[in-house]
Amino acid sequence: MKKILTSFLALGICLTPLTVMLMVQPTWGQAQNSRSQEAERLLEQGRKLTQQQEHQKAIQILQQALTIVRELKDQKREATTLVRLGLNYSRLGQKQKALDFYNQALPIRRAVGDRSGEATTLNNIGRVYDDLGQKQKALDFYNQALPLLRAVGNRSVEATTLNNIGLVYSDLGQKQKALDFYNQALPIRRAVGDRSVEATTLNNIGLVYSDLGQKQKALDFYNQALPIRRAVGDRSGEATTLNN
């Protein structure tokens, strides 16, 4: 009886390490899921740093995220990461680097069928060319974005794009064309309830009328913008409108 008991104890000692090894060994799927969660955490951290205007830190975090999403072959998040990198470089004044990242994101957004994301990326590229003083190139990209935004029903970014086109035409001295686009943007701004940018558009219309020598009309629009800027607490915009 004693011999039999000893045999079972010995067998137990042999089996225990094998059982533990099987319990702690992660599966391929678990490893993938863990990497995916890490990418999402980094993307969220990068987004918050961008909002806090910590652009250099945001870039470092987003580069880590980019490595992971490329490993995972997650094209949708790869495009998102590239656009966020472009945005941070743009805000740092590194416009060519911003373009490089936007131009990497654009074909991916087309490939995955993300029409809204494609339109936003086109709009971002337009903004960079506008900042670089390449107005015609800016217009080309805004005009590519506009029908896509209308097709997907993204009215807020559609209004932004219309406003951006108006700004370009104003800079080119084509004031009536600028007015046409601002007047398309204004009712959309009101419809989506974006009061801060509504005030911006009203202010832009006022500027055009001022440039056209129609001072009373300019005043009418500035006086519409002013109470909105006060209501939303935009003190910088309020000061600009008072100055105008």
Side-chain angles (χ1 to χ4, degrees):
M1 191 70 183
K2 191 173 181 182
K3 283 182 181 179
I4 294 167
L5 182 61
T6 306
S7 298
F8 275 111
L9 286 170
L11 185 61
I13 291 164
C14 290
L15 285 172
T16 302
L18 289 171
T19 306
V20 171
M21 282 178 71
L22 286 168
M23 286 171 64
V24 299
Q25 187 69 32
T27 67
W28 179 85
Q30 286 171 333
Q32 290 287 96
N33 190 49
S34 175
R35 292 292 275 167
S36 181
Q37 287 174 353
E38 175 68 2
E40 195 56 45
R41 185 189 67 78
L42 289 166
L43 275 169
E44 180 59 18
Q45 192 180 345
R47 186 187 66 79
K48 286 178 179 174
L49 286 166
T50 303
Q51 284 183 334
Q52 293 160 11
Q53 297 180 40
E54 296 277 358
H55 299 302
Q56 205 59 59
K57 285 182 182 176
I59 286 166
Q60 289 169 5
I61 294 296
L62 290 167
Q63 286 284 11
Q64 291 175 51
L66 186 61
T67 300
I68 297 171
V69 295
R70 281 177 169 166
E71 282 174 14
L72 296 170
K73 296 181 169 53
D74 185 340
Q75 285 194 300
K76 194 161 187 181
R77 283 198 290 184
E78 181 183 353
T80 299
T81 310
L82 288 164
V83 167
R84 289 184 187 178
L85 280 162
L87 181 62
N88 279 282
Y89 276 115
S90 184
R91 289 182 180 173
L92 286 171
Q94 297 184 47
K95 302 297 180 181
Q96 194 54 57
K97 271 209 159 184
L99 272 181
D100 291 343
F101 282 103
Y102 291 147
N103 283 323
Q104 288 178 64
L106 188 58
I108 299 172
R109 286 197 148 158
R110 284 173 173 158
V112 299
D114 181 1
R115 299 195 80 198
S116 183
E118 179 187 346
T120 302
T121 307
L122 287 164
N123 199 57
N124 290 349
I125 294 170
R127 284 292 298 270
V128 172
Y129 280 121
D130 196 356
D131 291 340
L132 290 169
Q134 297 184 47
K135 303 296 180 182
Q136 194 55 57
K137 269 203 161 185
L139 277 178
D140 290 344
F141 282 94
Y142 291 147
N143 284 320
Q144 287 179 63
L146 201 53
L148 286 173
L149 291 162
R150 286 171 172 159
V152 299
N154 191 336
R155 301 209 78 204
S156 182
V157 183
E158 179 190 346
T160 299
T161 307
L162 288 164
N163 190 75
N164 290 346
I165 293 170
L167 284 168
V168 172
Y169 279 122
S170 185
D171 289 343
L172 290 170
Q174 298 183 48
K175 302 298 179 181
Q176 194 54 56
K177 270 206 159 185
L179 271 181
D180 291 344
F181 282 94
Y182 291 148
N183 284 322
Q184 288 178 63
L186 189 57
I188 301 172
R189 300 281 208 205
R190 286 173 172 158
V192 299
D194 196 340
R195 300 207 77 206
S196 179
V197 288
E198 177 190 345
T200 300
T201 303
L202 287 164
N203 192 76
N204 290 346
I205 293 171
L207 283 168
V208 172
Y209 278 121
S210 183
D211 290 342
L212 289 170
Q214 298 183 48
K215 303 298 181 182
Q216 191 56 55
K217 270 207 162 182
L219 275 178
D220 291 344
F221 282 94
Y222 292 146
N223 283 321
Q224 287 179 64
L226 190 58
I228 299 172
R229 287 193 147 161
R230 285 173 172 158
V232 299
D234 180 3
R235 301 206 75 202
S236 175
E238 179 187 347
T240 299
T241 304
L242 287 165
N243 188 69
N244 288 347

